[in-house]
RNA sequence: GGCGGCAUGGCCAAGCGGUAAGGCAGAGGAUUGCAAAUCCUUUAUCCCCAGUUCGAAUCUGGGUGCCGCCUCCA
């Protein structure tokens, strides 16, 4: 295999080779659980889900760890606002996080440690850093000394002296006074009054933001891991600081590969909580945007590039998915007519049996695309090309022209469909079977009412009373019911 | 001020030196009483200028515009 990934550390697209053969250790920076996740989070975790599915597909044993930051200023602020414990806020949002990620079809990480449950490892690492002279404490706060780490800035490629101090305007004057160097950062923060806090050798307090990841990587995966993941906005300072801490503490490289995903933009600007221009995953799902549409939307762009979120682009993805889904559903809904074996809608990703001789060129294109730094745009184009003839069949089935398809064609089509299903699964795209009488029926009409209206319209059509027929049709349309006339006088309907 | 990214058809988006994937929209066609839905066909020389090369969207230099990061951030 020849997987190539763009490594932020070297700025090169490098051949990936794991520390242990056929095994890969991955750490992914998770969310701070103070609120619902938005589309930006979805993009990040969908991209990394595809990376993980690729490894599983290729027979790797993947150990994927992703943290929950369950204690921080915003969680504390929200708890005070709601008059509850910080843990209530974080536990609630962890549940919400799982709900959204499960809905998006993201495979759950093998382990999801919480910062507040890793205090032992965190404190022990801070002590190590203190003993090595990389950290110092000031009145209950502990800081990491950036000048003690020679390679500081190697990930984000910046010279501290060239940086605008306090560009974000978020540093307090107290902090400034305590620090030896302006870029020193907190490992442990002294608790303010009435704040959730934990015991430590430095008094009551809580861990700084960066240290939890360093401690968790060490505890869960070891000193050096294969891949470290996160959003591009974490490169500096978060990942830079993580490297400084971990490498100062262990003397080893933290991660061989650093991968960063690009941001989701809105009107050219980054989607973020602080700008208030975000759309939550929950809202999108509630609006009826399907999880697979969101996956397709995200995967149509390369993971490292910015992706602009607009209503139009989402609609385009939705329609694109509808077409792909039609092909994917073919073998599940119409296997009897086609004489195909019944296939379960399994979600399993396996390498075995997915290399069909008939369509090895598609297979190869797809594999090459993913191995080229996760080029999901090209991978998707393979899927669409694979799906096209299947969509034709779906249409012919609808019109009862099945006898036009020869037996050998049916067999070949089955191979094509099987490959499509399997490759789609690597991208996490699962067929979504909708019944027209879905529970989300928001119109007041019963199925029987609709059928009655259709009968009435068909009678009008036979009498060539088209004005009446069209009136019935437009009335139904206002209720969100779209009529589909089929040959032979039969009329089907779908709900928009 | 420093570091980094991006600029491809109406919109989104691949492309990594050999003459532009894919999705959406549009147009034409099949089908239809007309529609809708569906399927088929079809639409670009790649921000500007200068260079390297037999050949550049792709490399080099110079512009222009947009965005991200510089201690909340996926």
């Amino acid at each position: 295999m020849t997987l190539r990934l763009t490594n932020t550390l070297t700025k090169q697209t490098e051949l990936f080779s794991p520390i242990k053969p056929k095994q890969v250790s991955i750490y992914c920076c998770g969310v701070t659980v103070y609120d619902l996740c938005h589309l930006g989070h979805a993009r990040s975790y969908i991209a990394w889900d595809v990376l993980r599915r690729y490894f599983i597909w290729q027979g790797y044993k993947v150990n994927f760890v992703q943290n929950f930051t369950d204690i921080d200023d915003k969680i504390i602020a929200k708890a005070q606002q709601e008059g509850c414990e910080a843990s209530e806020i974080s536990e609630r949002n962890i549940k919400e996080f799982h709900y959204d990620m499960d809905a998006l079809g993201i495979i759950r990480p093998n382990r999801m440690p919480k910062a507040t449950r890793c205090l032992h490892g965190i404190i022990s690492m801070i002590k190590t850093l203190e003993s090595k002279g990389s950290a110092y404490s000031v009145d209950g706060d502990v800081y990491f000394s950036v000048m003690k780490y020679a390679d500081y800035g190697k990930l984000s490629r910046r010279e501290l002296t060239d940086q605008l101090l306090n560009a974000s305007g978020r540093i307090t004057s107290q902090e400034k006074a305590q620090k030896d160097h302006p870029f020193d950062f907190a490992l442990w923060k002294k608790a303010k009054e009435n704040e959730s806090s934990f015991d430590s050798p430095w008094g009551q307090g809580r861990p700084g933001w960066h240290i939890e990841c360093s401690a968790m990587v060490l505890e869960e995966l070891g000193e050096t891991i294969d891949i470290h993941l996160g959003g591009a906005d974490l490169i500096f300072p978060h990942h830079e600081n993580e490297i400084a801490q971990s490498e100062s503490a262990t003397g080893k490289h933290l991660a061989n590969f650093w991968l960063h995903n690009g941001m989701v933009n809105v009107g050219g600007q980054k989607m973020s909580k602080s700008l208030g221009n975000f759309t939550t995953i929950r809202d999108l799902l509630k609006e009826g945007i399907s999880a697979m549409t969101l996956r397709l939307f995200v995967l149509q762009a390369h993971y490292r590039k910015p992706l602009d979120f607009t209503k139009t682009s989402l609609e385009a993805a939705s329609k694109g998915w509808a077409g792909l889904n039609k092909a994917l559903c073919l073998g599940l809904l119409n296997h009897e007519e086609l004489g195909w074996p019944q296939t379960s809608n399994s979600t399993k990703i396996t390498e075995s049996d997915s290399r069909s001789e008939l369509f090895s060129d598609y297979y190869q294109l797809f594999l090459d695309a993913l191995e080229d730094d996760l080029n999901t745009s090209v991978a998707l184009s393979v899927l669409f090309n694979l799906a096209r003839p299947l969509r034709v069949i779906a249409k012919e089935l609808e019109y009862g022209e099945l006898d036009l398809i020869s037996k050998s064609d049916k067999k070949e089509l089955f191979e094509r469909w099987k490959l499509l299903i399997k490759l789609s699964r690597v991208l996490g795209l699962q067929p979504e079977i909708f019944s027209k009488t879905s529970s989300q029926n928001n119109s007041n009409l019963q199925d029987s009412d609709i059928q009655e209206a259709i009968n009435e319209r068909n009678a009008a059509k036979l009498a060539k009373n088209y004005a009446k027929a069209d009136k019935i049709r437009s009335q139904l349309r206002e209720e969100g019911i779209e009529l589909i006339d089929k040959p032979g006088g039969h009329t089907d309907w779908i709900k928009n």
Side-chain angles (χ1 to χ4, degrees), chain A residues 215-265:
Chain A
M216 285 172 188
V217 169
L218 187 62
E219 209 166 282
E220 302 280 347
L221 298 165
E223 290 177 327
T224 302
I225 62 172
D226 288 306
I227 304 175
H228 194 123
L229 306 170
D233 51 355
L234 298 183
I235 295 172
F236 192 91
H238 184 55
H239 289 162
E240 195 69 70
N241 291 353
E242 237 184 284
I243 289 174
Q245 294 162 346
S246 291
E247 301 193 354
S248 295
T250 67
K252 304 275 170 58
H253 280 293
L254 175 55
N256 290 144
F257 278 79
W258 286 84
L259 270 49
H260 292 98
N261 65 276
M263 301 291 100
V264 171
N265 287 171

Side-chain angles (χ1 to χ4, degrees), chain A residues 19 43 68 76 112 126 154 162 167 174-175 185 207 212 227 245 249 264 278 301 309 319-320 376 386-387 391 410:
Chain A
I19 298 165
R43 181 195 196 181
F68 280 120
I76 290 168
M112 298 200 79
I126 298 175
K154 73 174 175 184
D162 292 335
Q174 191 212 353
E175 250 180 294
F185 54 90
E212 62 175 278
I227 304 175
Q245 294 162 346
V264 171
F278 60 92
F309 171 66
K319 289 188 178 164
T376 51
L386 214 42
R391 290 163 71 173
K410 281 182 189 168

Side-chain angles (χ1 to χ4, degrees), chain A residues 313-328:
Chain A
S313 55
L314 197 61
E315 270 169 19
S318 171
K319 289 188 178 164
W321 167 246
L324 194 57
N325 190 39
K326 196 171 173 184
L328 285 167

Side-chain angles (χ1 to χ4, degrees), chain A residues 199-405:
Chain A
D199 271 331
S200 84
W202 312 278
Q204 287 292 115
R206 61 192 166 85
W209 174 37
H210 318 293
I211 192 70
E212 62 175 278
C213 290
S214 287
M216 285 172 188
V217 169
L218 187 62
E219 209 166 282
E220 302 280 347
L221 298 165
E223 290 177 327
T224 302
I225 62 172
D226 288 306
I227 304 175
H228 194 123
L229 306 170
D233 51 355
L234 298 183
I235 295 172
F236 192 91
H238 184 55
H239 289 162
E240 195 69 70
N241 291 353
E242 237 184 284
I243 289 174
Q245 294 162 346
S246 291
E247 301 193 354
S248 295
T250 67
K252 304 275 170 58
H253 280 293
L254 175 55
N256 290 144
F257 278 79
W258 286 84
L259 270 49
H260 292 98
N261 65 276
M263 301 291 100
V264 171
N265 287 171
V266 181
Q269 271 198 316
K270 176 180 158 185
M271 177 180 286
S272 74
K273 285 281 166 67
S274 45
L275 285 171
N277 61 351
F278 60 92
T279 307
T280 64
I281 299 167
R282 196 62 55 83
D283 281 347
L284 289 165
L285 293 174
K286 270 189 192 161
E287 269 178 48
I289 312 286
S290 85
M292 293 301 121
T293 291
L294 292 177
R295 269 193 108 97
L296 184 72
F297 171 69
V298 161
L299 295 175
Q300 273 187 317
H302 186 88
Y303 77 91
R304 282 190 297 112
K305 284 201 176 177
L307 172 62
D308 215 46
F309 171 66
T310 62
K311 216 179 155 159
T312 326
S313 55
L314 197 61
E315 270 169 19
S318 171
K319 289 188 178 164
W321 167 246
L324 194 57
N325 190 39
K326 196 171 173 184
L328 285 167
C329 286
L330 189 65
L332 300 173
L333 299 175
N334 305 100
H335 63 273
E336 280 179 24
E337 293 103 304
L338 290 160
W340 293 358
Q342 186 164 8
T343 318
S344 67
N345 188 7
S346 147
T347 54
K348 224 171 130 193
I349 316 153
T350 44
E351 211 275 338
S352 66
D353 195 34
S354 53
R355 191 187 282 270
S356 161
E357 284 195 15
L358 273 171
F359 299 103
S360 60
D361 45 348
Y362 287 95
Y363 180 97
Q364 199 57 46
L365 278 171
F366 183 88
L367 180 63
D368 288 349
L370 276 192
E371 292 190 330
D372 182 15
D373 198 25
L374 299 179
N375 193 333
T376 51
S377 325
V378 170
L380 276 169
S381 77
V382 175
L383 260 38
F384 276 102
N385 287 147
L386 214 42
R388 196 166 297 121
L390 294 166
R391 290 163 71 173
V392 176
I393 297 307
K395 186 211 169 189
E396 288 177 351
L397 274 172
E398 247 179 73
Y399 286 84
E401 292 169 11
L402 193 66
D403 43 322
L404 296 178
I405 312 164

